């Protein structure tokens, strides 16, 4: 859904038509069309895959692979009808105000409507706004239709479709119009022509954006992924336990960690922020926040580092948690090229006295190998990476072992230079 090309005032009808004809042969139109074609092909493939696996997709718990399919479908499959609705909602007021639709373009993920007729400034404002209203109504309609479905996958698809169209209608499209010459929002926010209507729109638009930000931050558009129905029941139990005993710190942290591990990171972060306001000295709470700050990112940022440091300073009771905090700090220090400090934290992680899982120990030795290589100590680096490979293979993680072998090759290359 790239854009709706803007309607034009009656005095510009001929120029409007000339503009659209010129656009049809322009690089912009070709670019939008080619990208739309790629998305459309991918959508057809996804639709075929979902159809062939429809029974498995619709039945049972919302597993991670189902969430991934639903996320992609919320764009690839739900957007083309949404674009059609968007353009139709432009056309309806044009006809209602006695005008004509003289040109229409539809490219699955982008489109336009060109009106002709005599419209007042207020009518032009409404014609331009109607497309976004159609987009938002479509998103809400899909969600309302699917929210009571027996299939958790379809319910999630409806929820993500709603979120995407809220994001598109309230944020992306207005910004797209702001930074380009294409779009309805230049007419909607034409304060010279419609000062009152544009002002009211601005107030409602701002309030809607704030509400969308608040609901998104609280995880309203997320659903945890489950491997089984038992996990769904476990989540319900944790929610009930927290509701019945709001002062139970352990239950609150268990709920947050359960949500985090199953991909509901926004809800987990919101729950944890409220928990930490009440219990600012909870070391375990700060460690989970460190994980949330690092989740989904290739690099461990300062936020995760600060939370891990806070957790260690407050005193983690569990040795495995202590090792995890040291590991996060080591990863951050490796990124900022503080090799010696990183090695100290890795030593502390390995020396906590807890029997760490094989994968955790393999990762620690891999990180130590990287630090030693960057210090120019290739013999030590080679020993560490050999240990990491051995642990990964003994745990049956061949893919991880292959990744470690790549580091082994880098070490050998540096040693031979």
């Amino acid at each position: 859904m790239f854009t709706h090309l803007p309607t034009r005032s009656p005095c510009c009808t001929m120029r409007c038509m000339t503009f659209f004809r010129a656009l049809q042969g322009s690089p912009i139109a070709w670019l939008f069309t080619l990208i739309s074609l790629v998305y459309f092909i991918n959508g057809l493939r996804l639709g075929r895959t979902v159809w062939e696996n429809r029974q498995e997709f619709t039945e049972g718990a919302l597993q991670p692979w189902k969430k991934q399919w639903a996320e992609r479908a919320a764009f690839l499959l739900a957007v083309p009808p949404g674009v059609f609705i968007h353009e139709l909602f432009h056309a309806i007021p044009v006809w209602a105000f006695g005008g004509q639709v003289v040109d229409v373009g539809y490219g699955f993920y982008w489109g336009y409507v060109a009106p002709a007729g005599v419209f007042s400034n207020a009518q032009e404002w409404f014609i331009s706004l109607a497309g976004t209203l159609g987009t938002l109504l479509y998103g809400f309609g899909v969600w309302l239709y699917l929210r009571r479905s027996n299939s958790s996958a379809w319910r999630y698809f409806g929820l993500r479709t709603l979120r995407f169209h809220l994001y598109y209608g309230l944020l992306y499209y207005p910004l797209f119009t702001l930074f380009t010459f294409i779009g309805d929002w230049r007419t909607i926010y034409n304060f010279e022509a419609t000062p009152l209507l544009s002002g009211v729109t601005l107030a409602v638009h701002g309030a809607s954006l704030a509400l969308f930000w608040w609901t998104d931050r609280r995880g309203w558009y997320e659903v945890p992924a489950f491997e089984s129905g038992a996990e769904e029941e476990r989540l319900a139990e944790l929610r009930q336990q927290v509701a019945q005993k709001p002062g139970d710190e352990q239950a609150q942290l268990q709920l947050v960690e359960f949500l985090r591990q199953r991909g509901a990171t926004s809800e987990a972060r919101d729950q944890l922020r409220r928990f930490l306001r009440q219990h600012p000295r909870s070391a375990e709470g700060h460690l989970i926040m460190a994980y949330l700050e690092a989740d989904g990112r290739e690099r461990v940022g300062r936020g995760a580092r600060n939370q891990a440091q806070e957790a260690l300073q407050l005193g983690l009771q569990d040795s495995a948690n202590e090792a995890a905090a040291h590991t996060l700090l080591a990863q951050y220090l490796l990124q900022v090229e503080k090799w010696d400090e990183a090695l100290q934290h890795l030593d502390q992680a390995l020396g906590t006295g807890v029997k760490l899982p094989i994968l955790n120990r393999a990762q620690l030795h891999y990180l130590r190998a990287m630090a030693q290589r960057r210090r120019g100590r290739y013999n030590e680096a080679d020993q560490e990476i050999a240990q990491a490979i051995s642990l990964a293979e003994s745990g049956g993680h061949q893919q991880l072992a292959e990744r470690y072998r790549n580091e082994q090759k880098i070490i050998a290359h540096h040693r031979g230079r």
Side-chain angles (χ1 to χ4, degrees):
M1 188 187 292
F2 297 104
T3 183
H4 157 78
L5 301 182
T7 59
R8 291 291 189 267
S9 62
C11 64
C12 299
T13 299
M14 294 307 296
R15 281 183 290 159
C16 171
M17 293 304 301
T18 303
F19 171 79
F20 284 127
R21 291 194 185 101
L23 186 63
Q24 286 171 357
S26 74
I28 295 176
W30 278 108
L31 177 63
F32 285 172
T33 301
L34 287 173
I35 296 175
S36 291
L37 182 61
V38 172
Y39 283 144
F40 183 68
I41 293 171
N42 287 336
L44 287 176
R45 289 173 176 167
L46 177 62
R48 179 180 176 181
T49 301
V50 172
W51 176 255
E52 291 174 347
N53 298 274
R54 58 190 180 279
Q55 185 172 356
E56 187 179 3
F57 178 71
T58 56
E59 294 178 356
L62 182 63
Q63 296 175 312
W65 66 270
K66 294 183 184 181
K67 285 188 70 173
Q68 185 181 23
W69 281 14
E71 287 272 4
R72 294 181 62 207
F75 175 76
L76 292 174
L77 301 181
V79 164
V83 173
F84 179 82
I85 296 292
H86 181 103
E87 305 310 333
L88 178 62
F89 268 65
H90 280 302
I92 289 172
V94 170
W95 294 324
F97 296 145
Q100 293 180 319
V101 174
V102 294
D103 196 10
V104 175
Y106 177 68
F108 301 110
Y109 299 88
W110 74 291
Y112 66 83
V113 166
V118 178
F119 309 115
S120 67
N121 289 333
Q123 287 172 336
E124 285 214 344
W125 168 86
F126 186 75
I127 291 169
S128 296
L129 182 64
T132 294
L133 294 178
T135 294
L136 298 178
L137 287 171
Y138 167 74
F140 274 105
V142 173
W143 171 65
L144 287 171
Y145 179 74
L146 293 174
R147 66 190 294 261
R148 297 190 184 281
S149 170
N150 292 327
S151 168
S152 58
W154 282 120
R155 293 197 301 271
Y156 184 67
F157 166 74
L159 192 62
R160 299 308 288 184
T161 297
L162 170 61
R163 184 190 181 279
F164 178 83
H165 284 81
L166 287 171
Y167 166 78
Y168 173 83
L170 296 174
L171 186 60
Y172 170 78
Y173 192 26
L175 289 176
F176 183 88
T177 302
L178 177 66
F179 293 107
T180 67
F181 64 94
I182 299 172
D184 304 314
W185 288 86
R186 290 188 180 277
T187 302
I188 295 169
Y189 281 147
N190 186 348
F191 285 91
E192 291 184 5
T194 53
L196 179 60
L197 292 172
S198 296
V200 170
T201 304
L202 181 61
V204 175
H205 189 185
S208 299
L209 276 172
L211 182 61
F212 174 64
W213 174 83
W214 182 78
T215 54
D216 194 44
R217 181 184 172 94
R218 291 178 69 88
W220 283 28
Y221 311 101
E222 289 182 338
V223 177
F226 302 108
E227 293 295 341
S228 66
E231 289 192 347
E232 288 190 79
E233 293 174 4
R234 175 58 179 159
L235 176 59
E237 289 174 5
L238 285 171
R239 290 190 191 280
Q240 185 177 11
Q241 189 175 350
V242 168
Q244 291 176 346
K245 299 179 179 179
D248 189 337
E249 295 182 32
Q250 196 60 34
Q252 291 182 62
L253 289 176
Q254 286 178 354
L255 174 60
V256 169
E257 183 63 5
F258 191 93
L259 291 167
R260 183 190 75 83
Q261 290 182 359
R262 285 151 186 83
T265 54
S266 294
E267 184 183 356
R269 187 178 283 108
D270 181 67
Q271 295 262 10
L272 187 55
R273 285 194 185 103
R274 284 183 281 167
F275 173 83
L276 287 173
R277 282 197 291 268
Q278 297 175 350
H279 310 283
R281 297 193 61 78
S282 169
E284 286 73 17
H286 285 286
L287 178 60
I288 297 175
M289 184 61 81
Y291 274 123
L292 283 167
E293 291 291 328
D295 267 358
R297 297 175 177 86
E298 292 184 5
R299 297 172 61 86
V300 174
R302 290 184 179 181
R305 177 205 63 180
N306 294 341
Q307 294 292 337
Q309 285 179 333
E310 184 73 11
L312 286 171
Q313 288 171 5
L314 290 169
L316 290 160
Q317 301 301 314
D318 186 85
S319 297
N321 287 341
E322 186 181 348
H326 282 300
T327 302
L328 282 171
L329 287 172
Q331 288 176 291
Y332 173 82
L333 291 165
L334 286 171
Q335 290 165 187
V336 296
E337 301 183 0
K338 295 184 178 181
W339 322 120
D340 291 336
E341 291 181 49
L343 281 168
Q344 290 173 13
H345 281 286
L346 291 169
D347 287 342
Q348 287 174 290
L350 284 166
T352 54
V354 65
K355 181 68 173 178
L356 295 172
I358 286 179
L359 277 182
N360 293 46
R361 284 186 284 142
Q363 179 70 1
L364 288 170
H365 285 289
Y366 166 68
L367 294 173
R368 284 178 57 83
M370 290 178 62
Q372 296 289 19
R373 170 172 64 81
R374 298 302 294 267
R375 296 171 77 206
R377 298 183 176 179
Y378 302 121
N379 288 336
E380 290 89 338
D382 202 43
Q383 292 173 8
E384 295 290 349
I385 201 63
Q387 182 73 1
I389 293 170
S390 175
L391 287 167
E393 288 180 336
S394 66
H397 300 281
Q398 295 303 323
Q399 237 180 348
L400 196 60
E402 191 59 34
R403 177 187 172 193
Y404 294 161
R405 287 192 188 93
N406 290 333
E407 174 64 22
Q408 193 175 44
K409 292 175 184 176
I410 294 173
I411 294 168
H413 173 74
H414 279 272
R415 176 190 286 164
R417 284 193 308 185

